[in-house]
Amino acid sequence: MSTVMSEQEKETQIPEGTQSSSSSSENQEASNVVIEVDDVNFAYVKGKDVLRNISMEVNRGEVTAFIGPSGCGKSTLLRCFNRMNDLIPTAAITNGEIRILGTDIYDPNVDVIELRKHVGMVFQKYNPFPKSIYENVAYGLRIQGVAKKSVLDDTVEESLRLAGLWEEVKDRLDASGLGLSGGQQQRLCIARTIAVKPKIILMDEPCSALDPISTTTVEELITQLKDDFTIVIVTHNMQQATRVSDRTAFFYLGNLIEMDETTKIFNNPSKKETEDYISGRFG
Amino acid sequence: MSDTNKQKSGGKKSKVAESFRKKGFQIFGLGAQDFIRFFFGGNASLAIIILILICVFLAREGIMFFPDHHKGLKSYRLAGQELVDYVGEEIDAHTSLYSAANVAYYAEVNRTSQEEDTILRAYRSVLANVENMTKKTWGRLEAWQEEKEDLEDELEDLLEDKEKLTEAAAAPAAAANDANADQAADTNESEDSAAKLAEVNKEIAAVEARMKELDAEIELLSEKLKKEVNVAIASDEAWDLGVGADQPPADSIDEIKEAVLFEAHPDADEEHAFIVEVKERSKEKKAKAAEELTGFKDTVKGIQAAVRPIRSYHSDLKKIAVENKREIEKFSTAPERRKALLEGAENTEDPEDKQEMLDRANAVDITEPEYDKINAPIYERVPEHEKLAADLKAETEKLYAALPEVSELETKSARESFGRAEVYNERFQNRVEENTEKVKEWRHDKNLSIFESATAFIFGKNWITNSSWHDFYGLLPLLSGSLLISIIALVVAVPFAVAAAVYVNQVAPYGEQNFVKPAIEFIEAIPSVVLGFFGILVFGETLRNVSQVEWLSWVPGFPMAERLTILNAGLLLAFMAIPTIFTLAEDALNNVPGALTENSLAMGASKLQTVFRVIVPTALSGIIAAVLLGFGRIVGETMVVLLVAGNKIKIPDFTEGLGVVAQPAHTMTGIIAQELGEVDEGSLHWRALFIVGMVLFCISLAVNFTAQKVLKKFQKI
C-alpha cells in the first residue's frame, strides 16, 4: 500500500509542477488557494438568487466541509465548481467570479469538459455504470482516448488501491459494478473519480445513503485522500464535518454565514446563527 | 387475514363492537371493494380464457392436417406420381438451362441491330408524346371528322331519296300523260311528291352547307394541329423517352422528327419512308447476326431437342399415374359414396327409387385396388429411365461445352444469362444423377413415416393447390418470403428507428422533441391497407422508375422489372415498424437513470461520449426488445404484403444474390388472408392454412417471449 501511495504522490506532483509554471497568477499558487469564490450570486431562474454575495477561498490539500440546513445553497455552490449546473438551462451565475487554479471557470473560452477533468465529483447516490468494475474505473481514461492495456491496468489497480477497494475486488474485476455492496459501490465511484487524477474532488453528501460502517470506511478514505487531492465535501452530518474536515463553511438561506477552521466553528463560532445551528436549535 | 375477518363478521356479528364493524353496502359479507375487484379480475381472466380458446381452436383445426397430409402423400406414392415427378424434376432443371441459353442467344442476335431498335423505340415514344401533347386538338379534329362522315352518309341517303322522288315524280307525270290527267288524286300525289322533293332538296342544301362549314373547320384545325405538333416536337417534353431509355444517335434525330411530323397528321396512313427503312435494316442485321451465330443457335436448338425423348417418356408415365390416382381416389371415397346412397335410400319414399339406390350402393366397389398391379406398367418402364437420363446428361454436357465461351459474348445481358446457365447446368447434372438413383430405388409400397410427411410440409419447396395432378403443401415458399421481407424491413427500420430514438431522447432540444415524437408515432395511425395502396400506386412505381436510372445499375436487383416486389413490401413494412421500435427504444433510453448521465458528464465526458458509452449500452437490452417486438409486428403484418409483395408462390431465386429482393414473393400471412375464404371447410387445404397460421403464431410467440426475457433483464439494471 505504501509503495502505491508514494507512486500516487509522484503522479500528483507532476501535474502540479506543470500547472504552476503555466498558471496565469503566480500569487494564487503561492498563497495555496485552489478555489476562489468572489462575490458570487447564483440563480436557477432569472431574478431569484439562491446564492447571494458568496466569497470564500478553498486551500490546497485541505478538506473543506459545507454545512447548513436543507435548501441553504451548499450543494448548489458545490455544483458551480464543476459547472454541473449548466445542465439546467436557465441556471446561471448572475454576479461575481469563481476562479479555480486562477482561472475564471465561467469564462466563455473555458472548455467545460477540460474543467471537469480537473474537478472530479462524487455524488450522494452511488451510481456505478452498468459495466464491469474494471470498465467503471477505466471509463475516465477511455473517454480521454487512452486505449493502452498496460496503462489502463496500472491506473485501475492504483485507483482501486487508493480507494481501499483493491483487496476486495481484485479477483472479480470483470464482475458487474452493480453487484457490490452500497459502501463498495460508493468507493468504486470514488476510485472512478480519482482514476483521471483530478486536482479537486467535490463530494456531495457521499455518505448519506450508506450505513454507519460503510460511512466510517469512506470517511477514513477521505482523510487519506487529503494528501493527494483538495476535497470539498457537502454534508448534513455535523459530526462528519468535525471528523473529516479542516475548514468548515456554514451556509444559511443562500448566504455564507461563516467560514473558519473546523475546530473554531464548532467550539467557538463567531456568528449567532452558526451557534444556533451547531447546537441543534434549528436545521 | 381478510378471509378470517370476513368469516368472523359473517358468523358472530353481535360480538363485534359497533365501531369495529364493517360499514356500508354488503352482500354475503362481500363489500363494494370486493365486487370491483371481481369485476376487474373477471375481465383479466376473460382475456386469458379467450387466448387459450384461440390456441385450442387453432390446434383443433390444424392438428388433423398431419394425418390427412400423410394420407395424401401416401397415395401420391402409391399411385406412382412420386416417380413421375422425379423425372419431371430432371426435365424442369433442363428447361431452366435451356431458357438461360436461349435468352443469351437472342440478346446476342439483337445486339447488332441495337442502333436501329433504339431509333424505332425513340420514334415510337416521341410520336406517343407528341400525340399526347396535342390530344385536345386531335380529339376535336376527330369529332369533326366523325361528324363529317355521318353527314356524308346522310347526304348519300338524301340523294337516294331525291333520286327516288324524282323518279316517282317523273313516273306519274308519264302516267298522267297517258291517262290524260283525269284523276285528281294523282295530281294530289304528284303535288305531294313535289313538296317532298322540295323538302329533300332543302335538306340536302343544309347538309351541304354544314359540310362546307365542317371542311373549313377541319382545315383550320389541321393547320392548328400542324402548328401544335411543330411546337410540341420542339419541346423537351416530347423527347422524354422514359427513365432509363437509350438516346438515339444524334444524326438520326432530325429524321425521327420528320417521321413524327409526317405521322402526326390526320391523313397519314402509311409509315414514313425513314422508319420503313430502319425497320428493314434492323431486320436485315438480325438475320445477318443470326447467320453468324448459326453454331450457337444450333447448339441451343440441340439442347432443346435433347430433352424430347425423356419428355415423351415422362408423359407416358404420367398417363399411367393419373389412371392410378383415379383408382385410388375412387377407393378412398367409396365408403362415403356408399353411405350417402344408403342414407338416400332410407329417406326415399318411392320403393322403385329406393331399390335403385340400394342397388347402386351395393354396386359401389369398395375393394382396395391392387397397388402392385396398377403400378406394374410403371415398373415395366423404370429400367428405360437410366439410359434416357444418361443420354440426356451426356448430350447436354456435350452441347453445353459447345456453347460459345463467355468471353466471346458481346452483350452484358447475355453474359449474365450465361452465368445463370452455369449454375443451372451444375444443378441439372446433379439433379439427373440424384434422380437416376431415386428412380431406381423407388418402391410404391415403401413405408412413409408421419415424420417424413411432417418434413415434407416444413421443408416442402412447393405450395400447389387445386391441381389436377397433386396438391403440395410446402411451407418454404411462404416462410422464405415472409422472412426475406421481414429481414429487409428490419435492416432498414432498425437504424432509422434507433437513431431517431437516440436523437429525440438525448440530443434534440425540448421543442423539437415535442414535434418529432408525435410525428413518428402518428405513422402508426395510418391504416395498413392505405399504406398498401400507396405501395402499389406510388411507391412501387417510383421504385421501379428509379431502378431504371443508369448510374444506379450497380445496385443488386436493379433495374427492376416488377413493381410489386419483396423490396417494396420490405420498405413499406419498415416504415410501419419504425414507430413501434422508435417508441419502445425511446422508452428504454428514457428509463436510463439521469444520475448515470450526470456521473459521466462529471467525469469529463462529452455529451456524445455519454450517449454512446453509457446511455445506449445501458438501454441496449431495451432497444433489443424493441427491435424484437418490431419484428413481431412485421412478421404478423398482412395487408401490406398481400397488396404489395406480388403474391408469387415460389421460393425466390437466390442465384441472383442480393438481387433476389427485386422478385415477387408470397407470405404466410398473405396466403391465409387470400385463400382461407375460398377453401372447403375441413379440407386438407383448409387445415394446411391453419397449420401455417400456427407456425406464424409460434414465431410471434417466440419473438415476443424473447423480447419479454430481454426486457426483464433490462429492468433489473
Side-chain angles (χ1 to χ4, degrees):
Chain A
M1 189 76 183
S2 61
T3 56
V4 177
M5 289 297 288
S6 63
E7 271 175 34
Q8 179 66 29
E9 274 167 15
K10 243 185 280 163
E11 292 277 355
T12 46
Q13 270 159 8
I14 295 163
E16 275 170 31
T18 52
Q19 190 270 327
S20 65
S21 64
S22 67
S23 171
S24 52
S25 47
E26 293 285 332
N27 57 340
Q28 297 280 343
E29 282 304 309
S31 66
N32 221 11
V33 174
V34 184
I35 305 175
E36 196 180 1
V37 184
D38 187 5
D39 197 21
V40 161
N41 281 24
F42 177 86
Y44 283 114
V45 181
K46 209 172 180 184
K48 287 184 185 171
D49 287 355
V50 291
L51 291 176
R52 278 180 292 274
N53 308 102
I54 309 282
S55 295
M56 62 154 59
E57 286 172 353
V58 173
N59 296 333
R60 182 188 305 281
E62 277 185 358
V63 177
T64 307
F66 288 3
I67 61 167
S70 292
C72 66
K74 55 191 187 304
S75 285
T76 303
L77 182 62
L78 190 77
R79 293 165 76 92
C80 284
F81 293 161
N82 66 346
R83 288 181 58 177
M84 283 306 276
N85 286 326
D86 288 11
L87 297 180
I88 302 156
T90 55
I93 281 192
T94 52
N95 186 35
E97 257 183 26
I98 297 176
R99 287 185 292 274
I100 289 182
L101 302 170
T103 311
D104 175 12
I105 58 167
Y106 282 88
D107 189 285
N109 291 325
V110 167
D111 185 351
V112 68
I113 288 167
E114 289 303 319
L115 170 71
R116 286 173 189 158
K117 283 177 190 164
H118 291 283
V119 185
M121 189 162 192
V122 176
F123 292 82
Q124 176 178 6
K125 177 85 182 78
Y126 43 88
N127 251 310
F129 300 127
K131 297 170 184 279
S132 68
I133 293 170
Y134 182 95
E135 283 303 321
N136 259 290
V137 182
Y139 180 76
L141 291 178
R142 283 206 194 274
I143 55 176
Q144 289 177 20
V146 178
K148 217 171 157 192
K149 188 88 173 72
S150 58
V151 176
L152 290 175
D153 283 349
D154 289 350
T155 313
V156 168
E157 179 174 348
E158 194 181 293
S159 308
L160 283 171
R161 275 190 197 283
L162 203 55
L165 203 57
W166 177 252
E167 293 301 324
E168 292 163 57
V169 300
K170 66 180 177 193
D171 299 327
R172 47 174 176 148
L173 289 175
D174 288 333
S176 169
L178 300 165
L180 300 172
S181 76
Q184 286 174 324
Q185 288 196 23
Q186 188 61 296
R187 277 183 284 150
L188 178 61
C189 289
I190 294 173
R192 184 174 71 186
T193 308
I194 59 186
V196 289
K197 304 197 172 65
K199 310 228 163 35
I200 302 161
I201 299 177
L202 309 174
M203 294 187 172
D204 192 355
E205 301 184 29
C207 301
S208 67
L210 300 181
D211 60 283
I213 294 170
S214 305
T215 303
T216 316
T217 328
V218 173
E219 281 176 7
E220 276 168 11
L221 172 59
I222 292 172
T223 337
Q224 281 169 22
L225 291 177
K226 190 165 73 171
D227 302 339
D228 306 315
F229 304 97
T230 305
I231 295 173
V232 182
I233 178 170
V234 166
T235 176
H236 255 112
N237 183 333
M238 279 178 279
Q239 280 73 37
Q240 187 173 60
T242 56
R243 282 196 296 268
V244 300
S245 71
D246 301 310
R247 283 160 66 82
T248 299
F250 171 61
F251 290 82
Y252 183 56
L253 295 177
N255 297 309
L256 173 63
I257 305 297
E258 191 175 353
M259 182 174 185
D260 215 326
E261 300 284 326
T262 302
T263 43
K264 175 146 190 301
I265 289 273
F266 281 94
N267 296 326
N268 185 20
S270 52
K271 294 273 168 56
K272 187 166 182 313
E273 289 102 325
T274 318
E275 194 180 348
D276 286 350
Y277 182 70
I278 58 172
S279 58
R281 235 163 274 168
F282 73 93
Chain B
M1 236 344 235
S2 64
D3 282 3
T4 54
N5 277 347
K6 247 178 261 162
Q7 276 170 8
K8 272 181 193 163
S9 71
K12 313 169 189 172
K13 216 175 207 170
S14 57
K15 283 200 173 175
V16 179
E18 180 62 30
S19 53
F20 289 124
R21 203 172 288 161
K22 281 185 179 171
K23 307 275 185 332
F25 162 79
Q26 294 216 345
I27 300 172
F28 303 122
L30 300 173
Q33 297 275 335
D34 297 303
F35 283 108
I36 291 170
R37 193 166 58 90
F38 290 147
F39 176 71
F40 285 107
N43 286 0
S45 45
L46 192 66
I48 293 171
I49 289 170
I50 289 173
L51 185 68
I52 292 170
L53 279 179
I54 289 174
C55 295
V56 169
F57 171 73
L58 265 181
R60 196 195 59 161
E61 292 295 333
I63 208 73
M64 280 306 288
F65 167 76
F66 289 104
D68 285 3
H69 186 228
H70 184 240
K71 223 162 97 186
L73 280 181
K74 219 167 172 176
S75 84
Y76 173 65
R77 182 170 283 180
L78 281 173
Q81 288 170 298
E82 194 178 26
L83 179 102
V84 177
D85 278 348
Y86 287 155
V87 183
E89 279 171 10
E90 294 170 355
I91 296 174
D92 287 346
H94 187 272
T95 308
S96 306
L97 171 62
Y98 158 69
S99 57
N102 201 31
V103 166
Y105 168 71
Y106 276 104
E108 284 293 286
V109 168
N110 290 344
R111 148 196 64 111
T112 49
S113 60
Q114 225 163 30
E115 193 185 317
E116 284 75 18
D117 290 344
T118 315
I119 292 174
L120 287 175
R121 258 198 302 274
Y123 162 69
R124 275 185 218 115
S125 345
V126 174
L127 184 61
N129 284 343
V130 166
E131 283 183 350
N132 201 25
M133 285 164 76
T134 55
K135 202 159 49 181
K136 237 170 154 180
T137 318
W138 270 111
R140 268 168 64 199
L141 191 61
E142 261 163 33
W144 292 135
Q145 272 172 338
E146 245 166 63
E147 195 182 338
K148 191 181 161 191
E149 270 165 36
D150 288 348
L151 285 175
E152 269 167 6
D153 288 349
E154 207 178 316
L155 190 63
E156 222 165 84
D157 289 349
L158 285 171
L159 284 174
E160 238 168 66
D161 284 355
K162 186 183 167 186
E163 214 159 283
K164 270 185 205 155
L165 284 170
T166 332
E167 267 172 33
N177 278 348
D178 291 348
N180 287 327
D182 52 353
Q183 280 170 340
D186 281 357
T187 337
N188 269 352
E189 225 171 67
S190 68
E191 263 174 26
D192 219 27
S193 63
K196 264 188 197 162
L197 193 64
E199 214 171 275
V200 168
N201 275 335
K202 221 163 113 193
E203 268 179 42
I204 288 173
V207 168
E208 274 173 347
R210 176 74 190 137
M211 273 178 73
K212 229 178 224 165
E213 260 175 51
L214 272 181
D215 278 340
E217 285 278 355
I218 286 171
E219 202 164 312
L220 264 177
L221 266 184
S222 300
E223 277 305 308
K224 193 174 167 220
L225 184 68
K226 233 184 221 166
K227 266 185 212 154
E228 276 182 11
V229 167
N230 273 318
V231 171
I233 205 160
S235 72
D236 288 342
E237 207 181 317
W239 291 89
D240 176 17
L241 305 181
V243 191
D246 296 330
Q247 289 295 329
D251 55 349
S252 67
I253 283 185
D254 282 341
E255 276 159 317
I256 292 176
K257 207 185 234 172
E258 205 170 285
V260 170
L261 283 176
F262 178 80
E263 189 66 24
H265 188 267
D267 301 334
D269 46 7
E270 270 179 14
E271 275 178 328
H272 189 259
F274 172 67
I275 296 302
V276 175
E277 186 210 315
V278 171
K279 273 188 179 167
E280 204 56 45
R281 232 165 43 208
S282 157
K283 223 177 183 175
E284 262 173 40
K285 279 192 178 172
K286 271 178 196 157
K288 205 173 149 212
E291 212 169 283
E292 277 169 18
L293 292 168
T294 8
F296 191 178
K297 187 184 178 184
D298 289 346
T299 318
V300 172
K301 284 260 156 75
I303 293 177
Q304 191 187 15
V307 83
R308 264 180 214 138
I310 205 163
R311 210 183 265 277
S312 77
Y313 171 74
H314 175 247
S315 80
D316 287 350
L317 282 184
K318 200 164 176 172
K319 270 178 211 147
I320 304 171
V322 164
E323 204 54 47
N324 290 353
K325 179 186 150 92
R326 199 171 296 142
E327 285 285 316
I328 292 170
E329 238 166 44
K330 229 159 98 189
F331 164 67
S332 69
T333 57
E336 255 171 57
R337 274 183 289 139
R338 188 171 169 174
K339 203 174 140 204
L341 283 167
L342 286 175
E343 264 173 22
E346 228 165 76
N347 295 333
T348 321
E349 297 287 315
D350 189 3
E352 232 172 79
D353 280 358
K354 195 169 193 156
Q355 193 51 48
E356 197 203 323
M357 279 195 184
L358 279 176
D359 288 344
R360 273 173 58 194
N362 289 329
V364 170
D365 183 10
I366 52 167
T367 52
E368 195 166 355
E370 289 173 48
Y371 299 118
D372 290 334
K373 206 168 123 193
I374 60 173
N375 278 311
I378 292 182
Y379 281 116
E380 217 168 83
R381 300 201 56 176
V382 162
E384 283 173 48
H385 175 263
E386 196 173 353
K387 188 176 176 305
L388 280 171
D391 283 354
L392 175 65
K393 192 173 167 224
E395 182 75 7
T396 310
E397 222 164 330
K398 199 180 85 193
L399 287 166
Y400 183 75
L403 282 174
E405 291 293 316
V406 181
S407 53
E408 287 172 36
L409 298 175
E410 292 186 29
T411 56
K412 190 171 160 244
S413 71
R415 281 196 293 273
E416 278 170 4
S417 289
F418 259 47
R420 276 205 299 281
E422 199 181 330
V423 179
Y424 291 143
N425 182 45
E426 202 155 303
R427 277 194 201 165
F428 164 72
Q429 305 284 356
N430 292 340
R431 175 61 66 205
V432 169
E433 259 169 48
E434 231 173 77
N435 283 16
T436 310
E437 283 308 302
K438 276 189 187 170
V439 167
K440 246 198 263 174
E441 282 165 15
W442 178 80
R443 294 291 310 165
H444 73 277
D445 47 6
K446 197 175 143 210
N447 187 35
L448 181 80
S449 69
I450 189 105
F451 177 74
E452 255 174 281
S453 72
T455 27
F457 168 70
I458 296 166
F459 300 108
K461 288 180 186 151
N462 295 308
W463 179 280
I464 300 170
T465 54
N466 293 329
S467 139
S468 59
W469 174 244
H470 182 77
D471 286 0
F472 293 94
Y473 300 98
L475 188 62
L476 275 189
L478 309 173
L479 189 69
S480 57
S482 276
L483 288 185
L484 254 181
I485 290 173
S486 304
I487 288 168
I488 291 171
L490 267 193
V491 164
V492 175
V494 168
F496 272 97
V498 173
V502 169
Y503 174 74
V504 167
N505 192 274
Q506 295 293 328
V507 187
Y510 187 70
E512 207 177 330
Q513 269 182 31
N514 276 358
F515 170 71
V516 175
K517 236 177 105 167
I520 293 182
E521 280 160 5
F522 175 76
I523 298 172
E524 209 150 31
I526 302 174
S528 58
V529 68
V530 174
L531 213 56
F533 209 58
F534 170 81
I536 295 174
L537 292 177
V538 184
F539 193 57
E541 194 62 45
T542 314
L543 205 59
R544 188 171 57 177
N545 285 345
V546 168
S547 79
Q548 313 289 334
V549 177
E550 204 156 318
W551 55 267
L552 279 177
S553 61
W554 55 270
V555 179
F558 278 21
M560 304 200 299
E562 307 273 346
R563 204 172 47 169
L564 304 180
T565 57
I566 294 174
L567 182 66
N568 188 354
L571 290 178
L572 278 179
L573 282 188
F575 187 62
M576 288 186 72
I578 281 175
T580 310
I581 300 176
F582 167 81
T583 310
L584 291 166
E586 213 257 347
D587 281 352
L589 290 168
N590 227 0
N591 281 342
V592 175
L596 286 183
T597 318
E598 239 181 18
N599 272 282
S600 171
L601 289 177
M603 299 281 302
S606 68
K607 182 77 194 166
L608 276 184
Q609 282 174 328
T610 305
V611 168
F612 288 111
R613 286 172 184 259
V614 177
I615 295 172
V616 171
T618 309
L620 193 63
S621 46
I623 292 171
I624 291 171
V627 169
L628 285 175
L629 286 173
F631 180 72
R633 170 137 172 68
I634 292 167
V635 165
E637 170 54 35
T638 308
M639 211 56 206
V640 165
V641 291
L642 188 61
L643 289 172
V644 178
N647 296 353
K648 185 180 182 191
I649 313 179
K650 199 183 157 209
I651 299 177
D653 183 3
F654 287 96
T655 47
E656 290 184 23
L658 275 181
V660 71
V661 300
Q663 296 168 9
H666 215 318
T667 55
M668 297 195 286
T669 47
I671 201 114
I672 296 174
Q674 193 182 26
E675 294 187 345
L676 196 60
E678 294 166 10
V679 296
D680 291 339
E681 205 174 317
S683 66
L684 182 59
H685 189 178
W686 154 277
R687 295 198 193 290
L689 292 176
F690 269 88
I691 286 289
V692 172
M694 274 178 85
V695 172
L696 204 55
F697 186 75
C698 292
I699 292 176
S700 286
L701 209 65
V703 168
N704 270 297
F705 181 75
T706 322
Q708 298 285 349
K709 282 266 155 189
V710 176
L711 257 184
K712 222 173 238 167
K713 196 194 147 212
F714 162 68
Q715 278 158 353
K716 271 188 203 148
I717 290 171

